[in-house]
Amino acid sequence: MNLINPLSLFGNDLCSVQNPSAYIGGEFGSVVKNHTSSDGLFNYCIAFPDVYTIGMANQAIKIIYNGLNKKSNIRCERVFAVETDFEDLLKKHDAPLYTLETGMPLNQVDMIGFSIGYELGITGVLSILDLGRVPLLKKDRGESDPIVVAGGCGATNPAPFSDFFDAVFIGEAEGGMFELIEELAEMKKNGAGRAELLQHLSEHPSIWTEGMSEEKCGHSVARRAIWSDFGKLPSVESFMPLPNVKPVQDHGVVEIMRGCPNGCRFCHAGVYYRPQRAKTKQLIFDDVDKLVNEAGYREISLTSLSSADYPNIEDLLDDLNARYKSQNVSFQLPSLKVNSFSLPLLEKLSEVRKSGLTFAVETPEEAWQLRLNKEVYAQHLVDVILDAKKRGWNKAKFYFMVGLPFPETEELTEEKAIVDFLIDLQNRTRIQCNVNVGTFIPKPHTAYQWVRQISPEESERKLSYIRDHLPRGKFHVGTHDVNTSYLEGLLSRGDKRAGKVILSAYKKGARLDAWENHLRENLKHWESAFAEADFDVKESILRERGKDEVLPWDDVSLGVSKNFYKKEWDKNEKEELTPKCKPDCDHRCGVCNNKTCVNIDNKPQDVQKSIQLSSNSVYPEWNIPVMYRVIFQFTKKNGGEDISHLSQIEFFNRAVLKSSLPVIYTTGFNPLPRLEFASTLSLGISSDAEIASTVLYENITESDFISSLNRHLPSSIQIQKAFVFPVTNQRRRESLSTGLWGNVYEYSFKCPVGEVKHFFDSELSKPFLDKSSLCEFSFDDSDGNKVLAKLLFQKDRPFRNALEEYFGKKIWEIVTIHKIQTLAKPDITGWTSEINAAYQSSLENMKNHSEMLEINARFKEKILKPEENMKAANANAISYFELYQRIALVNKELISQRDSLMEKKADKKRM
């Protein structure tokens, strides 16, 4: 297999794309199984049809990734959809899309598995296949091509995607997918070819294949796989790897419950994840322990479709807060049902830090709520919001839908009901309302699967009314793009004919349609594909289906019978509620059986501390007389040069949080480790000499500090040396940036040597060659294209700008830059006077004040003389470590003399 190393293949060209670290792998916690000629592993690529920052926040991806990598005969690696700039870069270098861990070209893996959480990701699927040089249509794939499969709640109607996927797994991966892939791995090891693997795949009861039948594969309906032991057995770890780029949702996630008891008639996810299964408190604590101590998270979401319906949710939050509050860990719940939200629950969610208040109302009219099988108690919602305001919340978010199958009149329409409800709510609570309104799509496998979908024109009329009638200032209104909803209707409710429309739109340029900004640009491609179709696309999307009509998704069963959906529709018409699901419910839907059933048995438990808590509690620097400052130097290379400064800060914050280092924290609402970086390194520049500092409340050896942090940092960022010395809170610490003189770089030019020398002969180079600039340059005798550049900090960026102006290219096209050394000023004017002023202020009430002044006068002699300062300014800069060794001597003697003075004062009092 010809593996791809993106760092060597693309080099500095990675600087031409947004978020280059999303394409290089090497994340902390990634699983790398090195290739050998005889490893015989089954190469599985887990693919997510959206960009890295979305995919790395997806739990399903990480569950499958870690679950498969636990198998000794499977190598599972990741790939994500790419932005158009990286697509252009692949084409420029004539390279296929590859996996992140070891760079396997997609067309050389054994299987590609797409996690489809949202139907609009289908053009992302085609983009990944196309860039990976895998035939888009399954009929065009041969023996040497990968098997392409899909799964997820967005693929429960496989018909629109049937041209592209060889097979679709229906249900939860833990319910049999891992074992199925392991069987395929064994078959491959024993010599089975693609056709044999596909045949075995098709015979699994949860696998959908086009044209499946009892004769061909043993079943004509693919039945959802369910992990019946969810909540009873430990879940697959789903927090590693930690991303190189901050994802859209950057917090720890613990799935506390799977399934929902409420049975909202419009909710596809509520059917897909049935039945309700609550995780034991012990397992939840085990998961949180790992998120805090192994991943470094301090904000954790307790997720499910309806987290407030978790049994004894308030007791759970009490126990979690009691255990983790000292580590500044906060817990949040996702969007909540109003009637599940209690005031005590509100108190517990705000104990450490306040999370957002979000309420899924859907529709405000009571009769319409009964149709949805949902109740929203308006007065209860007002009470919750008023109480939240007393506790410091000043805004709340509300979700609504238009286009639901309600009997509207001229006097009562959905849009008017939403506006009247919100204005009344705001008048009663005076809270800032963030309102999000979408268009309802009648999803397969729900009681509303037969109803019509409103047209984009109807949707826009309703949404415009809401935007126009809610006063700005009191309301911030966001509405979903009507074309997104229209297209989603085609992809979720369409039949096989939709496949040709999808392929046509993709070939015309449609990409990343789940993003509204991309869809606006792609809309012309979809409209053209609709116009070229051999059927009425609009009619197929919007029309009402007959109750006895054969639907495109009838060959998939999520466990709920069609008769149950019909009964639920009848209750919708009568405005009747169906009770919550429970172990002995009287409205059997067909999911529960002897093996699978509702599991809400969560009696009070004595939770054991399965993992030792970190001693890294949050310490501010109040009343700590002597602290220890650490100056450390770290490398940023082998991919580190493509990691942004903000991501670098996040890496170090996490590393400190995961370690047991006695680091002092900032004060305020969200305490963070006290970390300071001397400078910001531009993307694309590698370094052996980045400088940073932190402050400790206990002394530690340099080697322990380095090893503690390096264990939790990615290999592309590693600390090489550190220097620890005492400081006191009685004087201001010198900032690293104040002491910065400049840097020494190695510039490796990509143009001929003559052109480099012409630049240094040009007018543009003169400001940097003049002696007053304090910069120095020397050519490498062995390689004329390499220049050693010693640049004053203020000249650093101007020098690169001059190169860009002279060569007419971006800097990464001209030169590769590597930082060799970070230089400091030998002395900082004013430090001596600051030391005196601080100590005079702190000791002004002490006796022997004159003695302290005498001590400070002696300290002046320990700092370089003024004439030496001037000499140093003429480019004789020193390393940061040499500078802080001098500062350390001053600090140590200050502390010693302070202690001596305090002791003398105490002696005099005793006398």
Side-chain angles (χ1 to χ4, degrees):
M1 184 179 292
N2 299 317
L3 300 177
I4 292 173
N5 183 334
L7 296 176
S8 59
L9 177 63
F10 304 124
N12 281 12
D13 281 353
L14 281 167
C15 295
S16 66
V17 304
Q18 189 177 20
N19 294 325
S21 58
Y23 305 112
I24 61 175
E27 300 99 326
F28 183 86
S30 58
V31 180
V32 177
K33 297 183 179 181
N34 293 321
H35 294 259
T36 64
S37 58
S38 59
D39 63 31
L41 298 184
F42 188 84
N43 293 313
Y44 186 99
C45 173
I46 178 65
F48 189 78
D50 210 324
V51 295
Y52 182 92
T53 51
I54 302 293
M56 285 302 288
N58 184 276
Q59 289 302 104
I61 289 292
K62 294 184 179 181
I63 287 171
I64 294 170
Y65 177 82
N66 288 292
L68 288 179
N69 274 318
K70 287 183 182 297
K71 308 292 184 181
S72 60
N73 55 354
I74 299 171
R75 177 188 289 110
C76 181
E77 302 190 357
R78 298 161 298 140
V79 74
F80 301 92
V82 305
E83 291 278 9
T84 52
D85 55 3
F86 191 74
E87 184 174 337
D88 293 339
L89 187 60
L90 286 169
K91 292 174 181 176
K92 174 183 175 181
H93 288 267
D94 192 27
L97 189 58
Y98 51 87
T99 61
L100 290 180
E101 278 68 19
T102 63
M104 293 188 293
L106 295 195
N107 59 349
Q108 295 183 41
V109 302
D110 297 304
M111 179 177 282
I112 304 174
F114 285 91
S115 179
I116 311 290
Y118 184 38
E119 294 87 350
L120 266 70
I122 188 60
T123 50
V125 170
L126 298 185
S127 173
I128 289 173
L129 293 176
D130 204 6
L131 293 173
R133 299 178 182 173
V134 178
L136 300 181
L137 299 175
K138 66 183 179 188
K139 67 180 179 63
D140 295 333
R141 294 179 199 133
E143 186 64 25
S144 62
D145 290 311
I147 295 171
V148 181
V149 300
C153 60
T156 57
N157 174 21
F161 313 141
S162 58
D163 289 340
F164 315 122
F165 296 124
D166 295 301
V168 177
F169 184 87
I170 306 297
E172 299 169 0
E174 306 100 322
M177 194 195 90
F178 298 151
E179 291 75 16
L180 176 59
I181 304 302
E182 192 171 26
E183 291 168 9
L184 297 178
E186 283 301 308
M187 290 178 64
K188 175 201 169 185
K189 186 177 180 180
N190 294 326
R194 188 177 190 274
E196 292 174 88
L197 298 179
L198 268 175
Q199 178 59 38
H200 184 76
L201 194 65
S202 69
E203 292 169 1
H204 191 281
S206 297
I207 287 288
W208 177 96
T209 52
E210 188 175 15
M212 61 188 174
S213 65
E214 295 286 347
E215 294 75 23
K216 291 200 306 187
C217 52
H219 60 274
S220 56
V221 175
R223 302 191 180 278
R224 178 170 65 104
I226 304 173
W227 186 31
S228 301
D229 287 328
F230 176 89
K232 303 174 186 176
L233 299 176
S235 300
V236 176
E237 292 177 2
S238 57
F239 56 89
M240 293 292 186
L242 300 177
N244 280 339
V245 184
K246 189 171 185 176
V248 290
Q249 294 178 343
D250 190 24
H251 46 71
V253 175
V254 176
E255 188 181 12
I256 63 172
M257 187 171 72
R258 193 169 287 185
C260 176
N262 296 299
C264 297
R265 294 181 177 121
F266 63 86
C267 184
H268 174 266
V271 176
Y272 184 81
Y273 289 107
R274 286 190 180 196
Q276 178 191 16
R277 291 151 284 164
K279 185 177 287 187
T280 66
K281 189 184 291 186
Q282 178 65 62
L283 291 177
I284 291 172
F285 269 71
D286 291 346
D287 289 344
V288 175
D289 280 341
K290 292 174 182 176
L291 287 171
V292 171
N293 297 311
E294 295 181 29
Y297 287 110
R298 289 302 181 267
E299 292 183 58
I300 295 175
S301 288
L302 306 176
T303 65
S304 78
L305 294 177
S306 182
S307 295
D309 285 302
Y310 178 86
N312 304 314
I313 183 66
E314 292 175 13
D315 289 342
L316 173 65
L317 283 168
D318 274 338
D319 290 345
L320 288 170
N321 283 331
R323 186 168 182 192
Y324 295 102
K325 185 176 180 180
S326 67
Q327 291 179 284
N328 200 45
V329 177
S330 65
F331 297 92
Q332 58 190 32
L333 302 179
S335 172
L336 297 166
K337 287 185 65 178
V338 174
N339 59 350
S340 300
F341 203 107
S342 66
L343 300 183
L345 190 60
L346 185 66
E347 291 178 353
K348 299 176 198 311
L349 289 174
S350 61
E351 190 159 327
V352 176
R353 63 171 68 85
K354 293 178 177 64
S355 57
L357 284 179
T358 304
F359 301 101
V361 181
E362 317 302 359
T363 188
E365 284 295 303
E366 184 178 343
W368 292 349
Q369 291 166 10
L370 294 175
R371 284 175 168 265
L372 297 180
N373 200 40
K374 184 170 186 172
E375 293 177 290
V376 177
Y377 304 125
Q379 184 56 51
H380 179 64
L381 178 58
V382 170
D383 292 341
V384 167
I385 291 174
L386 288 174
D387 201 71
K389 285 189 70 178
K390 293 176 185 176
R391 288 169 167 78
W393 274 276
N394 56 17
K395 60 184 176 182
K397 190 170 187 177
F398 304 89
Y399 284 107
F400 293 89
M401 287 191 290
V402 297
L404 288 157
F406 298 148
E408 296 179 296
T409 65
E410 285 189 15
E411 294 76 25
L412 182 61
T413 62
E414 287 179 301
E415 58 270 29
K416 187 176 187 304
I418 291 170
V419 167
D420 292 347
F421 174 84
L422 284 169
I423 289 177
D424 178 65
L425 178 74
Q426 208 282 330
N427 286 338
R428 295 169 69 184
T429 63
R430 303 298 179 185
I431 199 165
Q432 171 71 41
C433 297
N434 294 336
V435 183
N436 190 286
V437 190
T439 302
F440 171 64
I441 296 103
K443 288 296 182 84
H445 309 289
T446 69
Y448 287 173
Q449 64 184 345
W450 296 284
V451 304
R452 68 177 288 268
Q453 179 176 333
I454 65 172
S455 68
E457 295 78 17
E458 292 174 275
S459 179
E460 184 54 41
R461 176 177 54 78
K462 289 175 176 286
L463 297 177
S464 294
Y465 180 93
I466 294 169
R467 288 193 296 266
D468 294 342
H469 287 78
L470 288 177
R472 294 182 181 179
K474 297 177 181 178
F475 297 93
H476 177 76
V477 182
T479 55
H480 292 195
D481 184 86
V482 296
N483 294 303
T484 301
S485 303
Y486 182 46
L487 184 55
E488 189 177 342
L490 170 69
L491 302 179
S492 63
R493 305 200 330 147
D495 54 29
K496 180 177 172 59
R497 296 175 299 171
K500 291 183 179 179
V501 178
I502 295 167
L503 184 61
S504 175
Y506 170 76
K507 288 186 173 180
K508 294 175 187 294
R511 302 284 190 282
L512 300 174
D513 298 296
W515 295 73
E516 287 188 5
N517 60 325
H518 283 285
L519 185 58
R520 281 193 296 270
E521 297 175 4
N522 297 337
L523 194 57
K524 59 182 180 292
H525 304 314
W526 284 103
E527 289 174 344
S528 176
F530 289 174
E532 294 173 2
D534 56 4
F535 66 103
D536 188 335
V537 176
K538 185 173 184 178
E539 192 271 340
S540 74
I541 295 172
L542 304 180
R543 74 177 181 87
E544 183 177 355
R545 272 71 170 164
K547 298 295 187 300
D548 297 321
E549 179 180 341
V550 176
L551 301 173
W553 51 90
D554 279 349
D555 52 3
V556 169
S557 171
L558 301 188
V560 178
S561 68
K562 210 168 185 178
N563 282 336
F564 181 81
Y565 294 138
K566 290 179 179 178
K567 289 177 183 178
E568 285 296 291
W569 174 256
D570 292 340
K571 286 185 176 183
N572 163 84
E573 295 288 83
K574 298 173 185 176
E575 297 175 357
E576 289 182 8
L577 288 175
T578 298
K580 287 186 175 184
C581 292
K582 54 185 180 180
D584 57 347
C585 72
D586 58 0
H587 52 282
R588 297 284 180 176
C589 66
V591 171
C592 292
N593 51 45
N594 292 333
K595 183 181 177 183
T596 301
C597 60
V598 173
N599 170 29
I600 55 173
D601 180 18
N602 203 14
K603 298 173 184 175
Q605 304 166 46
D606 181 18
V607 178
Q608 301 298 313
K609 295 185 178 181
S610 57
I611 297 178
Q612 183 65 39
L613 279 177
S614 168
S615 61
N616 196 9
S617 297
V618 173
Y619 280 89
E621 58 181 272
W622 301 324
N623 301 320
I624 303 176
V626 177
M627 298 165 286
Y628 297 87
R629 191 173 190 185
V630 187
I631 308 296
F632 57 94
Q633 180 172 303
F634 62 94
T635 60
K636 196 175 178 186
K637 55 187 180 181
N638 299 325
E641 63 268 37
D642 297 311
I643 293 172
S644 71
H645 185 69
L646 290 178
S647 294
Q648 171 189 299
I649 293 172
E650 185 63 25
F651 289 161
F652 275 101
N653 281 337
R654 283 250 178 88
V656 169
L657 291 168
K658 289 186 284 183
S659 71
S660 297
L661 291 172
V663 171
I664 290 174
Y665 281 69
T666 61
T667 57
F669 177 69
N670 186 24
L672 291 171
R674 281 207 177 276
L675 285 165
E676 181 189 1
F677 296 88
S679 60
T680 302
L681 193 66
S682 298
L683 276 177
I685 299 177
S686 59
S687 176
D688 279 322
E690 292 306 284
I691 303 295
S693 77
T694 189
V695 186
L696 311 177
Y697 57 83
E698 291 177 358
N699 199 3
I700 189 174
T701 67
E702 281 88 353
S703 59
D704 284 347
F705 177 86
I706 293 170
S707 61
S708 294
L709 279 188
N710 279 348
R711 279 200 304 271
H712 301 292
L713 288 168
S715 58
S716 56
I717 296 177
Q718 289 285 288
I719 300 171
Q720 299 300 309
K721 59 182 179 179
F723 179 60
V724 183
F725 60 95
V727 293
T728 169
N729 60 6
Q730 297 300 311
R731 57 166 293 230
R732 184 172 65 86
R733 289 189 294 274
E734 304 79 17
S735 73
L736 294 179
S737 58
T738 304
L740 181 65
W741 184 92
N743 304 294
V744 179
Y745 297 100
E746 182 181 77
Y747 274 66
S748 298
F749 286 87
K750 300 179 181 181
C751 56
V753 176
E755 291 184 29
V756 179
K757 292 187 176 178
H758 285 158
F759 164 76
F760 282 100
D761 290 335
S762 70
E763 289 293 320
L764 287 171
S765 71
K766 285 186 177 179
F768 310 101
L769 297 178
D770 189 271
K771 285 187 178 181
S772 62
S773 73
L774 305 181
C775 301
E776 295 178 6
F777 301 91
S778 61
F779 282 84
D780 188 327
D781 292 335
S782 61
D783 186 347
N785 282 71
K786 286 186 178 179
V787 174
L788 202 65
K790 186 177 183 181
L791 295 168
L792 191 68
F793 177 71
Q794 293 84 346
K795 301 287 185 180
D796 204 329
R797 174 66 69 175
F799 180 69
R800 279 179 269 159
N801 292 342
L803 286 172
E804 289 185 333
E805 183 179 351
Y806 180 83
F807 288 99
K809 298 177 181 179
K810 295 293 184 182
I811 191 68
W812 63 80
E813 299 175 290
I814 303 165
V815 66
T816 298
I817 306 172
H818 178 69
K819 186 195 286 190
I820 296 171
Q821 194 175 12
T822 301
L823 298 177
K825 302 170 186 176
D827 184 31
I828 300 174
T829 303
W831 280 8
T832 307
S833 60
E834 286 172 8
I835 291 172
N836 286 330
Y839 272 85
Q840 287 170 27
S841 173
S842 64
L843 300 172
E844 62 184 359
N845 296 321
M846 284 188 181
K847 293 180 180 180
N848 300 318
H849 184 67
S850 59
E851 185 178 348
M852 189 65 201
L853 291 176
E854 189 177 321
I855 292 167
N856 278 327
R858 291 203 303 271
F859 289 154
K860 290 182 181 181
E861 300 300 318
K862 297 182 179 296
I863 307 295
L864 291 176
K865 299 286 195 306
E867 61 271 18
E868 291 176 297
N869 288 344
M870 184 61 68
K871 182 180 178 182
N874 291 326
N876 288 325
I878 60 175
S879 74
Y880 256 91
F881 283 85
E882 184 179 346
L883 172 65
Y884 278 92
Q885 283 168 349
R886 299 178 184 183
I887 296 170
L889 291 173
V890 174
N891 275 280
K892 287 176 181 177
E893 192 158 355
L894 278 171
I895 291 168
S896 174
Q897 294 294 340
R898 184 203 64 173
D899 292 344
S900 177
L901 282 174
M902 297 294 286
E903 190 175 334
K904 287 180 182 179
K905 183 179 178 183
D907 288 343
K908 288 183 179 181
K909 281 185 177 181
R910 285 193 293 269
M911 292 174 63

